[in-house]
Amino acid sequence: MTKKIAITPGEPAGIGPDLALAIAQQSWSEQLIIVASKTMMAERAKLLNIDITIEEYDAAAAPAPQQAGQITVLDIPLDDDVVAGELNPNNGNYVVETLRVASEKNMSGEFDAVVTGPVHKGLINQAGIAFSGHTEFFALQANLSDVVMMLATEGLRVALVTTHIPLAYVSRAITEERLLKVSRILHDDLKQKFGIEQPRIFACGINPHAGEGGHLGREEIEVMEPAFDILRNEGIDIVGPLPADTIFQEKYLQQADAILTMYHDQGLPVLKYKGFGNSVNITLGLPFIRTSVDHGTAIELAGTGEADTGSFVEAISTAIELANNQS
């Protein structure tokens, strides 16, 4: 059966709409549904001189594979005019509404996955909406207290125990309870969504040299090792805590299905160095599949036709793969 893959282009003044139009120039095995303003998409196509047929989404119609040169749009009205490359906080509510609709239709089973384009968090907050990121927003929509951010590129998957918090708060946030929840979600989704029969997880320590036996910090001894012992007794194959400065060697990566890192900038610089522009952000623990690009809104490129589709294509391809794994 043809899958329905929702796509939210994100910030309307950024490159998200450009990317959605660019990928519509090729055929896809599943139906891609752009959750955005139909008017905005038509105007951006005209600006980019892209010849495209825009069709309105019909929930009652049987899904059909994406044909090159056409695009299906679930119309969400803008709150204000959009000018490519010019941020406008008046459309902050519009951006959040596209995410709400996409998540709602995924949770109802109408859609099979959602792929998100880049948003401007600061602009959404300027609009008076508390918003710290897609990951946290979708968790709230699904009424979940715990989800996991994972980025993946060829040969490397990196999951995070903590995400968008100040570095000064990280140590306090690395609790036994948090480690258990994140590790279990990671293990379960590697099995269920990625089809890995017995996932192997390598975990970083939080301190230099993983604490150097307690001389450089005791979190590894007092918090992490007890938590990992519990997980191993449950049958979860987790190795660590290991020093973060050596864990990203090929001899470890060849053995690991995912690297579990303790904070945002511990693992993602390595991941993005290895695969920036060709990596994908995946939210684990949700009752639906969500993938995203690995880059920002690139306001300066909006409307120029110079946006790189690499990460967007990867995000869509991954969403399709994971959706078909659920069949």
Side-chain angles (χ1 to χ4, degrees):
M1 181 179 291
T2 301
K3 305 293 185 182
K4 292 183 178 182
I5 310 297
I7 295 176
T8 58
E11 169 53 47
I15 62 169
D18 304 38
L19 296 173
L21 289 164
I23 57 95
Q25 301 308 295
Q26 64 187 86
S27 298
W28 292 84
S29 61
E30 316 301 330
Q31 183 179 28
L32 307 184
I33 301 157
I34 312 302
V35 184
S37 163
K38 182 180 177 182
T39 299
M40 182 268 294
M41 294 301 296
E43 290 176 348
R44 190 63 59 87
K46 183 177 180 180
L47 176 64
L48 293 168
N49 197 29
I50 293 176
D51 186 16
I52 193 87
T53 299
I54 299 179
E55 300 180 352
E56 285 207 37
Y57 170 67
D58 180 0
Q66 167 80 39
Q67 300 299 311
Q70 72 179 45
I71 197 168
T72 302
V73 177
L74 195 169
D75 188 34
I76 306 292
L78 290 163
D79 292 316
D80 205 349
D81 293 338
V82 169
V83 177
E86 296 183 16
L87 293 172
N88 181 352
N90 291 338
N91 280 316
N93 187 69
Y94 156 81
V95 173
V96 172
E97 180 65 7
T98 65
L99 302 179
R100 188 196 65 78
V101 170
S103 61
E104 182 179 88
K105 290 185 178 297
N106 267 276
M107 286 188 289
S108 72
E110 183 175 341
F111 293 163
D112 297 288
V114 58
V115 179
T116 59
V119 299
H120 193 294
K121 299 172 191 173
L123 206 69
I124 295 173
N125 282 279
Q126 284 182 44
I129 303 167
F131 185 89
S132 58
H134 283 104
T135 303
E136 295 84 358
F137 177 83
F138 286 134
L140 183 63
Q141 293 298 298
N143 196 30
L144 294 171
S145 58
D146 296 288
V147 294
V148 176
M149 178 188 290
M150 182 174 80
L151 270 77
T153 191
E154 185 175 355
L156 179 62
R157 300 185 186 100
V158 173
L160 308 179
V161 174
T162 64
T163 54
H164 302 121
I165 63 173
L167 187 59
Y169 301 163
V170 168
S171 180
R172 282 174 284 169
I174 305 296
T175 63
E176 180 178 288
E177 180 184 18
R178 180 68 184 163
L179 288 167
L180 293 175
K181 286 181 178 180
V182 169
S183 301
R184 288 166 179 157
I185 290 171
L186 176 58
H187 171 82
D188 290 347
D189 270 15
L190 286 172
K191 290 184 69 174
Q192 296 169 13
K193 292 180 179 176
F194 287 84
I196 301 171
E197 187 173 343
Q198 184 56 48
R200 195 165 206 221
I201 301 165
F202 278 39
C204 295
I206 187 174
N207 294 298
H209 303 175
E212 196 79 60
H215 296 289
L216 298 177
R218 297 193 58 81
E219 287 89 346
E220 287 80 5
I221 294 172
E222 296 176 358
V223 181
M224 301 178 73
E225 290 178 1
F228 294 161
D229 283 341
I230 292 171
L231 294 167
R232 284 188 279 266
N233 286 333
E234 294 175 359
I236 294 176
D237 188 357
I238 188 163
V239 179
L242 299 171
D245 63 344
T246 56
I247 200 172
F248 293 99
Q249 298 181 59
E250 197 62 31
K251 67 176 183 179
Y252 293 130
L253 298 184
Q254 287 179 348
Q255 302 176 54
D257 294 301
I259 304 294
L260 182 63
T261 61
M262 297 302 112
Y263 55 94
H264 188 281
D265 283 10
Q266 185 180 56
L268 296 194
V270 180
L271 185 288
K272 293 190 176 185
Y273 175 77
K274 180 176 174 62
F276 190 76
N278 289 292
S279 59
V280 55
N281 188 340
I282 306 161
T283 304
L284 307 180
L286 289 171
F288 56 89
I289 294 161
R290 179 260 169 164
T291 68
S292 183
V293 295
D294 68 352
H295 56 73
T297 55
I299 293 296
E300 69 282 359
L301 295 179
T304 67
E306 298 178 6
D308 186 342
T309 61
S311 182
F312 207 62
V313 169
E314 284 295 318
I316 296 171
S317 299
T318 300
I320 290 172
E321 178 185 353
L322 297 181
N324 283 307
N325 284 346
Q326 307 305 294
S327 300

